Amino acid sequence: MNKVQQIKTIALTAIAPIVWGSTYIVTTEALPPDSPLIASTIRSLPAGVILVLISRAWPTGLWWLRMAVLGFLNIGLFFAATYLPGGTASMVMSIQPVIVMIMSWYLLSTRFSSQQLIASGLGILGVGLLVLNSSAKLNIEGMLTAILGTLSMALGVVLTKKWGRPTGMTMLGFTGWQLLFGGIILLPVSLWQEGVPTQLTSINYLGYGYLSLIGAILGYFLWFRGIEKLPPVTVSFLGFLSSVSACFLGYLILNQTLTWPQLLGALAILFSIMLATPRSSAQTDHQPQRQTVIRN
């Protein structure tokens, strides 16, 4: 991949976490209260059905299990574990690049550099500055839940890179099956915990539609495309942009304050991403070939 292609791929992948930064504000301002699991299910399940029907591609053999695992890690468990107040989840999840480095070293036999470790520390500092004025309180249960979501997403990213996608399956199909499995996993839990929402307004329908079409279909298509083309550590650093997006959307839409420390935090995050991005000519990360479909 040459420099221009790398920049283009990074820019397209970055759209995903920027879009996801709007999830919390959409959930709080446009959806019924106290129904995060239902929102997660509606976000993933219809999107999965739509993409699977469009792609008309089915997993075979071992790929049924792999799709279920990826759907559980990248969608189901991650969605269920990270519906905390925006600043709270962002602060805990800022350690994700470090976890991805360790998992990539173990599962992909890739090395991580001192420069990437420095970039991780800078990114964590940046997120901390962004959420410095957050009034959210984090208890032990919330901390453990956020850590679980962080581990889920990190492992999902690394396994997505390791396994690739089935031969003959488009990226739309690959995205769709993960969203579908994630939604199926979430459905019984959300119905049991929260039930079916009643008295939905037009704003609620617009909110659900945005999360499903933009947040899920567009966001995850670009995210999985980025994982396929970029080193997983680079992709994990792009996740920091979700916090930047959430901060600026809060300022623009909710009239929240935007302080100098937060601006410095945003700059620190952008610099950490630049620092962690390998030179295209020296990129040595594991680049697996697309996996061959295993048939029974």
Side-chain angles (χ1 to χ4, degrees):
M1 184 186 298
N2 61 41
K3 190 66 174 178
V4 174
Q5 291 174 325
Q6 184 187 54
I7 293 173
K8 179 181 177 181
T9 301
I10 290 174
L12 287 174
T13 308
I15 293 173
I18 290 173
V19 167
W20 296 337
S22 66
T23 299
Y24 181 68
I25 193 170
V26 171
T27 302
T28 56
E29 302 299 316
L31 299 185
D34 304 319
S35 57
L37 292 175
I38 286 291
S40 296
T41 305
I42 296 176
R43 180 183 176 187
S44 55
L45 190 55
V49 171
I50 290 171
L51 292 184
V52 166
L53 290 177
I54 290 174
S55 67
R56 298 181 181 179
W58 293 74
T60 58
L62 185 60
W63 270 105
W64 282 105
L65 177 59
R66 287 181 173 180
M67 285 295 190
V69 170
L70 293 177
F72 174 72
L73 293 172
N74 288 323
I75 311 296
L77 180 58
F78 177 69
F79 280 10
T82 54
Y83 259 101
L84 297 168
T88 303
S90 297
M91 193 64 242
V92 175
M93 294 190 66
S94 64
I95 65 172
Q96 181 176 302
V98 177
I99 298 174
V100 171
M101 287 182 205
I102 296 171
M103 290 183 175
S104 296
W105 167 76
Y106 182 74
L107 295 174
L108 303 178
S109 300
T110 60
R111 298 178 180 179
F112 55 87
S113 64
S114 57
Q115 183 171 305
Q116 289 174 326
L117 290 174
I118 294 171
S120 296
L122 191 60
I124 292 170
L125 174 63
V127 173
L129 290 172
L130 278 176
V131 304
L132 193 63
N133 65 344
S134 175
S135 59
K137 295 181 179 179
L138 186 63
N139 54 29
I140 296 298
E141 182 181 356
M143 175 73 77
L144 293 176
T145 301
I147 291 173
L148 181 63
T150 304
L151 292 171
S152 173
M153 186 60 153
L155 182 57
V157 167
V158 175
L159 287 181
T160 300
K161 185 68 173 184
K162 181 178 178 64
W163 290 339
R165 58 186 164 100
T167 300
M169 181 175 287
T170 65
M171 186 57 69
L172 280 178
F174 187 64
T175 304
W177 278 105
Q178 292 190 57
L179 288 168
L180 180 60
F181 274 113
I184 290 172
I185 291 167
L186 284 166
L187 182 60
V189 179
S190 61
L191 292 177
W192 176 48
Q193 291 288 328
E194 299 171 356
V196 179
T198 58
Q199 299 179 341
L200 294 177
T201 67
S202 57
I203 296 297
N204 296 153
Y205 285 114
L206 288 174
Y208 285 130
Y210 173 84
L211 290 180
S212 186
L213 296 176
I214 306 300
I217 292 180
L218 175 63
Y220 273 97
F221 172 82
L222 293 175
W223 186 249
F224 293 138
R225 178 184 179 275
I227 294 173
E228 183 173 87
K229 294 178 178 294
L230 296 169
V233 173
T234 301
V235 175
S236 69
F237 272 93
L238 293 176
F240 284 141
L241 293 175
S242 181
S243 299
V244 178
S245 173
C247 182
F248 279 91
L249 286 174
Y251 171 75
L252 293 173
I253 299 175
L254 301 180
N255 295 318
Q256 295 176 348
T257 59
L258 188 61
T259 64
W260 281 108
Q262 288 176 307
L263 291 174
L264 289 174
L267 289 175
I269 286 173
L270 294 177
F271 187 70
S272 74
I273 293 172
M274 293 174 59
L275 196 62
T277 302
R279 296 180 181 179
S280 56
S281 59
Q283 186 171 319
T284 58
D285 294 74
H286 180 72
Q287 297 288 343
Q289 298 295 321
R290 190 177 302 171
Q291 299 293 308
T292 303
V293 176
I294 299 175
R295 302 183 183 277
N296 291 324

